[in-house]
């Protein structure tokens, strides 16, 4: 089992052991679905690929949340930022990020939900760069993937993806970990400890895992999800879904390794996310309006 410096693996396993409405199902179908599926590569055409790549990834993943209901998703955001960086809009400079208001950000990326939270997240990132890295976004990045995830989650409210389940803390750190993984996947930073990251618990992965039978919901929760009833961030069932997603991906990674395919948790995540995009028909994903995923 990979090291767990962020405590995500241990906390999620504890949630799954106590969960009332979500449980792990058999992995056979999921292993079979991914056994020969290629790991998606970073797309240099749909993403920016110039000299400000580190800054682009940090800005992108600072805005990478809560797309459902908008008719626009991750790729529309990635491409809008690609075009802005390519056109010379200095979004790599903290001063530029600090001057953006909702109208200014919408002019750059188009309309997405909760624009006020997106503006606040960018300002947080820019402020941290000015305080800690002499005004350089790239200067924030340490030589370790989990260290970057820890730095972001410790210093930035929008990355502080930590819930409570009963009385114990459950770090999930979706966006803090994906920022590190994307820097590695894009070739911007050569982290050698990406295997210590977990998957990125969002709403598309549990949808795919449920479709494949690897996650099972109680009849009560299944009705809520299938009827598009919104779950509150941090409520017990929402934490159970996300924690079970992390544990299911860990076990799926182990199942694939037993079949001769050695992958990192983040690579299994990318495969599942890509797999989820083409599912039809498929039961709905759970809806939670949050900055954390």
């Amino acid at each position: 089992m990979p090291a767990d410096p962020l405590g995500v693996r241990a906390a999620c396993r504890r949630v799954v052991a106590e969960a009332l409405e979500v449980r792990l199902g058999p992995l056979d179908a999921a292993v079979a679905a991914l056994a020969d599926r290629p790991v998606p590569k970073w797309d240099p055409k749909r993403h920016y690929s110039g000299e400000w790549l580190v800054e682009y990834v940090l800005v992108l993943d600072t805005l990478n949340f809560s797309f459902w209901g908008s008719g626009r998703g991750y790729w529309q955001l990635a491409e809008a930022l690609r075009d802005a960086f390519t056109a010379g809009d200095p979004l790599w400079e903290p001063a530029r990020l600090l001057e953006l208001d909702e109208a200014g950000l919408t002019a750059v990326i188009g309309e997405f939900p909760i624009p006020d939270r997106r503006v606040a997240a960018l300002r947080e990132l820019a402020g941290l760069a000015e305080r800690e890295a002499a005004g350089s976004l790239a200067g924030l990045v340490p030589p370790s993937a989990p260290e970057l995830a820890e730095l972001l989650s410790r210093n930035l409210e929008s990355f502080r993806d930590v819930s409570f389940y009963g009385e114990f803390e459950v770090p999930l750190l979706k966006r803090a970990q994906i920022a590190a993984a994307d820097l590695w996947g894009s070739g911007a930073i050569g982290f050698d400890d990406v295997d210590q990251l977990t998957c990125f618990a969002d709403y598309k992965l549990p949808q795919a895992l449920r479709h494949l039978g690897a996650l099972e919901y109680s009849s009560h929760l299944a009705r809520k999800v299938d009827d598009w009833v919104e779950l509150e961030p941090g409520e017990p069932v929402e934490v159970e879904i996300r924690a079970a997603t992390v544990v299911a991906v860990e076990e799926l990674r182990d199942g694939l390794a037993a079949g001769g395919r050695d992958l990192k948790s983040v690579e299994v995540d990318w495969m599942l996310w890509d797999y989820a995009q083409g599912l039809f028909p498929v039961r709905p994903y759970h809806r939670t309006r949050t900055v954390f995923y």
Side-chain angles (χ1 to χ4, degrees), residues 20-271:
L20 299 177
E21 299 204 55
V22 182
R23 66 181 182 183
L24 303 185
L27 291 175
D28 299 6
V31 170
L34 300 187
D36 299 314
R37 193 176 185 90
V39 177
K41 303 297 183 184
W42 181 264
D43 190 331
K45 293 183 179 179
R46 301 189 78 177
H47 295 104
Y48 170 80
S49 57
E51 65 175 307
W52 305 104
L53 180 55
V54 172
E55 291 85 350
Y56 167 81
V57 171
L58 290 175
V59 171
L60 172 62
D61 284 330
T62 299
L63 297 171
N64 181 8
F65 56 82
S66 199
F67 298 116
W68 62 265
S70 68
R72 305 179 74 229
Y74 171 80
W75 286 117
Q76 285 71 38
L77 174 64
E79 291 167 354
L81 287 173
R82 173 203 63 195
D83 293 346
F85 271 74
T86 301
D89 187 336
L91 295 166
W92 52 84
E93 295 180 356
R96 169 64 172 138
L97 301 181
L98 288 168
E99 74 180 16
L100 285 171
D101 57 14
E102 290 182 34
L105 181 60
T106 299
V108 174
I109 65 172
E111 293 186 1
F112 288 97
I114 48 178
D116 58 325
R117 304 296 297 276
R118 297 180 194 278
V119 168
L122 285 177
R123 290 178 176 173
E124 271 196 318
L125 176 69
L128 181 63
E130 290 201 331
R131 293 193 309 272
E132 304 292 338
S136 166
L137 295 181
L140 291 171
V141 181
S144 161
E147 283 182 21
L148 174 60
E150 194 277 332
L151 180 146
L152 294 174
S153 62
R154 183 181 73 249
N155 288 284
L156 303 176
E157 182 180 351
S158 73
F159 282 91
R160 197 170 299 126
D161 181 11
V162 179
S163 295
F164 275 85
Y165 190 75
E167 297 183 352
F168 69 90
E169 283 191 347
V170 184
L172 292 154
L173 309 183
K174 186 266 187 185
R175 288 180 39 244
Q177 293 194 86
I178 205 171
D182 282 351
L183 286 170
W184 175 75
S186 68
I189 303 289
F191 296 128
D192 61 7
D193 52 5
V194 172
D195 63 307
Q196 296 179 16
L197 303 177
T198 68
C199 77
F200 321 120
D202 63 358
Y203 49 87
K204 293 300 291 183
L205 259 62
Q207 181 188 36
L209 290 165
R210 186 183 177 207
H211 176 81
L212 292 165
L215 287 188
E216 298 176 352
Y217 295 170
S218 70
S219 58
H220 170 256
L221 177 58
R223 282 195 302 273
K224 290 184 74 171
V225 172
D226 293 346
D227 290 342
W228 300 105
V229 176
E230 192 169 334
L231 305 181
E232 291 298 318
E235 70 168 292
V237 292
E238 190 255 1
V239 179
E240 289 182 12
I241 290 171
R242 298 184 72 203
T245 296
V246 171
V247 176
V249 169
E250 293 293 296
E251 298 199 358
L252 181 52
R253 183 204 62 226
D254 292 345
L256 289 164
R261 193 165 187 201
D262 190 15
L263 296 166
K264 298 174 175 60
S265 297
V266 302
E267 293 173 318
V268 177
D269 177 294
W270 292 337
M271 293 162 70

